[in-house]
């Protein structure tokens, strides 16, 4: 072999050796990064842990805070608001009733013809109206005039199958999903606007009086007989179809719970006790907090960067508004500290709330062999174009950790309500059945979440008690529930004969 050939062989061997070294270094660096990413994931999983013992502590804390909130006005982070709803629908209601559901940039108007125990909801119709942006930041009169005009238009289309008894005024249930200080069943002052509304002259005003004046200006003869929020509407809708419903929970973008309390168990109530002996309490449970809640660095960061720092802590770890963003925050740390998506941190991963909970749910429910949905969501939403199956599996695992914590804590909250009502045990010889009416997109559409919630509640209660508790999906509480509350709080107390 000549000198040139020998030299070439030596150079080749050196090149192969260098390449092998580079590959080895790359693999070692890659393995190091992967180990770091897994450390971040495992630490988060550990801090998000919800063992049964911890969930029992959360349930006990919820029950204690419920007592404190009922005792005095500022006794607890749980507001435990008196709703003035002391008559839930019984099923005997007859007649024509309307509902107005104002909770965001659209509002719905609904009418129902009720036919008593036999007929139930004989017929119903609704329409949905979009609110022009300028009215969301204009004056109170402009907004309520617009709503009253649309309401009058809808009333004008009242056709066959709807019948208002002679001598009766039309009655309306008003679902108003903004913070309100309720003064009676049919009055309440606006505390502040949320959801993009900013109408200064409406703050501190009675929203029912504002709507009533607008209806008068539009020549519409209608009385608001119930002012409620969507959670109480859900409770009313649930009770109408099932007499065993004692509480309602909404798990959607936000979260809240309401339940039926004994009126004599509300120390802060100073009025006459209602004839029914009952009062519906709007818990505002999103504001619950306790040292037992498993909060992580990501939850603290989310809270600090939020518009309501230190408020709604429970909501920030269990509701649809926030779950996707918690996943994003953990992925961002993995990208920054462990180059989880390569050397460059994907810029979109730094955008708060870019990853919404419906997208997180779609990834969590991906059953394709190559996790195709996960791959396409990462690409379309976060601009991460090429991901390995191994990486996608980690993303699914992260979604599972976040959803599981939220679902199990929701179950603990429900157990807190059951404890307060004494329905977390079975008394000998009693055949009680307890139904919780549930609504909200998170509960309805995120199957892994709702399945986990129900199995956790069974685990907490034990088999015997779990058999007496039913979680029932009660759809459209904010619409039909409000019309039913208009009926059960009608100015015409006698039950109309069909």
């Amino acid at each position: 072999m000549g000198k040139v050939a020998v030299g070439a062989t030596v150079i080749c061997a050196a090149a192969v050796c260098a390449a092998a070294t580079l590959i080895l270094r790359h693999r070692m660096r890659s393995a190091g990064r992967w180990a770091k990413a897994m450390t971040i994931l495992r630490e988060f999983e550990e801090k998000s842990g919800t063992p049964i013992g911890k969930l029992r502590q959360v349930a006990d804390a919820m029950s204690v805070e419920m007592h404190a909130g009922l005792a005095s006005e500022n006794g607890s982070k749980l507001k435990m608001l008196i709703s003035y709803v002391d008559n839930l629908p019984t099923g005997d209601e007859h007649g024509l009733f309307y509902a107005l559901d104002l909770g965001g940039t659209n509002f719905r108007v609904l009418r129902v013809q009720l036919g008593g125990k036999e007929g139930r909801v004989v017929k119903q119709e609704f329409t949905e109206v979009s609110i022009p942006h300028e009215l969301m930041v204009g004056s109170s009169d402009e907004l309520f005039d617009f709503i009253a005009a649309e309401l009058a238009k809808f009333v004008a289309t009242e056709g066959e199958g709807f019948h208002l008894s002679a001598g009766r005024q039309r009655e309306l249930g008003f679902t108003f999903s903004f913070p309100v200080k309720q003064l009676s069943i049919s009055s309440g002052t606006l505390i502040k606007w949320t959801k993009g509304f900013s109408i200064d002259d409406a703050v501190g005003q009675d929203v029912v009086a504002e709507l009533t004046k607008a209806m008068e200006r539009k020549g519409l003869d209608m009385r608001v007989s119930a002012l409620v929020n969507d959670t109480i509407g859900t409770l009313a809708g649930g009770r109408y179809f099932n007499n065993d419903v004692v509480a309602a929970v909404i798990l959607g973008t936000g979260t809240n719970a309401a339940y039926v309390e004994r009126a004599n168990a509300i120390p802060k109530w100073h009025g006459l006790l209602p004839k029914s002996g009952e009062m519906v309490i709007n818990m505002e449970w999103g504001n619950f907090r306790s040292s037992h809640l498993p909060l992580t660095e990501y939850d603290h960061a989310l809270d600090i960067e939020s518009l309501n720092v230190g408020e709604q802590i429970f909501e920030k770890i269990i509701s649809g508004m926030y779950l996707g963003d918690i996943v994003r925050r953990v992925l961002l740390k993995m990208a920054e500290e462990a180059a989880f998506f390569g050397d460059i941190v994907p810029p979109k991963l730094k955008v708060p709330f870019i990853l919404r909970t419906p997208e997180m749910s779609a990834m969590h429910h991906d059953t394709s062999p190559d996790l195709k949905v996960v791959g396409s969501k990462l690409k379309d939403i976060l601009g991460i174009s090429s991901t390995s199956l191994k990486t996608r599996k980690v993303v699914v695992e992260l979604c599972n950790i976040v959803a599981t914590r939220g679902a199990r804590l929701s179950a603990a909250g429900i157990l807190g309500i059951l404890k307060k009502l004494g329905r977390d045990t079975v008394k000998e010889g009693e055949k009680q059945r307890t139904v919780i009416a549930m609504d909200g997109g998170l509960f309805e559409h995120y199957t892994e979440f709702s399945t986990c919630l129900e199995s956790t509640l069974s685990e907490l209660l034990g088999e015997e008690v779990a058999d007496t508790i039913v979680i029932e999906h009660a759809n459209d509480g904010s619409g039909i529930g409000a019309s039913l509350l208009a009926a059960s709080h009608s100015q015409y107390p006698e039950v109309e004969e069909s």
Side-chain angles (χ1 to χ4, degrees), residues 176 178-181 188-193 199 202-207:
F176 186 75
F178 298 92
V180 157
K181 176 154 180 49
T189 54
L190 175 64
I191 297 167
K192 64 173 180 182
W193 288 105
I199 302 171
V203 175
Q205 297 301 313
D206 177 355
V207 292

Side-chain angles (χ1 to χ4, degrees), residues 89 120-121 236-245 472 475 480 484:
R120 291 289 173 164
V121 178
R239 172 66 73 93
Y240 180 71
F241 293 105
N242 188 333
N243 211 34
D244 294 325
V245 169
E472 213 166 69
N475 208 351
I480 195 127
L484 292 166

Side-chain angles (χ1 to χ4, degrees), residues 170-207:
R170 284 180 183 82
E171 294 182 287
L172 175 85
F174 185 11
T175 302
F176 186 75
S177 298
F178 298 92
V180 157
K181 176 154 180 49
Q182 194 106 8
L183 306 169
S184 72
I185 182 59
S186 57
S187 62
T189 54
L190 175 64
I191 297 167
K192 64 173 180 182
W193 288 105
T194 55
K195 306 172 194 176
F197 283 78
S198 181
I199 302 171
D200 292 344
D201 66 340
V203 175
Q205 297 301 313
D206 177 355
V207 292

